[in-house]
Amino acid sequence: MTPAADETRLFECETCGGVGIGHNRPTCCGDSMTGVGTTETAVSKPSLETLLQTVFDMSGTELDVCLCVMEGGELTVTALAEQIGYERSVVARHLNHLADLGVVEKRRRIRPEGGHVYVYTPQPPEVVRERLRGEFLSWVRLATAQLDDLQREKVEAIADAETDERQWTVFQEQ
């Protein structure tokens, strides 16, 4: 199956094993990277909810909060909590995470009667898409490093084996 010209593709460097994602063939180690086939795979296409949960640690509740801000414009935590029926602390936590992701902008506003309040404003859709894409690519880089570590640990365990017993186990973070 040949990908469409405007389809995002996956590439791999034959020299170092680096991975590239894009529309055009990137270069690495001085050569063009090789396109990775997109035929059958054991991995199923993730739903948007699965993608948001896995990569961005975004729950269904946080997605609700995000969509409400996108639709509602500038909102305070209190106004949004009343609008969607979630506890104020839950809404505040999710809005802060969305601000960290760059999906919403958090600004402090001085109140005329004194004190201040934070207001949250949605970023334009193209900014949201680029921020999430950047975070996703960072996640892919970190996930690839985890797989590289797994392979390194396996090879080292086999190389260090002094017996015929099975030496390799999957290492998990404690």
Side-chain angles (χ1 to χ4, degrees):
M1 176 177 175
T2 305
D6 63 344
E7 182 179 340
T8 300
R9 296 189 52 213
L10 181 62
F11 299 90
E12 185 173 18
C13 176
E14 292 182 5
T15 304
C16 72
V19 177
I21 300 173
H23 300 289
N24 300 317
R25 185 180 296 234
T27 59
C28 184
C29 297
D31 292 317
S32 291
M33 297 175 87
T34 305
V36 175
T38 56
T39 55
E40 300 217 9
T41 177
V43 178
S44 60
K45 179 180 177 180
S47 67
L48 179 59
E49 186 175 343
T50 299
L51 177 68
L52 294 174
Q53 172 63 42
T54 303
V55 178
F56 305 107
D57 196 25
M58 193 182 292
S59 66
T61 302
E62 189 164 353
L63 181 57
D64 288 346
V65 169
C66 181
L67 293 174
C68 285
V69 173
M70 294 298 175
E71 292 173 0
E74 185 177 272
L75 293 166
T76 64
V77 171
T78 302
L80 185 57
E82 288 173 4
Q83 184 177 353
I84 61 177
Y86 289 124
E87 293 291 323
R88 203 176 160 291
S89 61
V90 170
V91 171
R93 184 177 68 248
H94 291 313
L95 284 170
N96 285 324
H97 184 231
L98 293 169
D100 290 343
L101 289 173
V103 173
V104 299
E105 182 181 359
K106 177 182 178 180
R107 289 189 328 270
R108 185 176 148 190
R109 178 175 290 158
I110 303 299
R111 299 171 65 186
E113 61 273 8
H116 70 272
V117 65
Y118 287 103
V119 293
Y120 296 84
T121 310
Q123 294 285 5
E126 58 277 359
V127 170
V128 171
R129 194 172 14 263
E130 282 306 308
R131 296 253 169 88
L132 292 180
R133 182 180 172 86
E135 292 292 322
F136 172 74
L137 293 174
S138 294
W139 182 86
V140 167
R141 180 181 54 79
L142 295 169
T144 302
Q146 288 282 43
L147 292 174
D148 290 345
D149 285 348
L150 180 69
Q151 182 180 9
R152 179 186 49 77
E153 289 171 351
K154 180 178 179 181
V155 170
E156 287 175 359
I158 292 171
D160 290 342
E162 294 180 9
T163 68
D164 291 334
E165 293 180 33
R166 186 172 172 184
Q167 298 295 314
W168 183 63
T169 59
V170 177
F171 297 90
Q172 296 180 353
E173 293 181 19
Q174 299 293 333

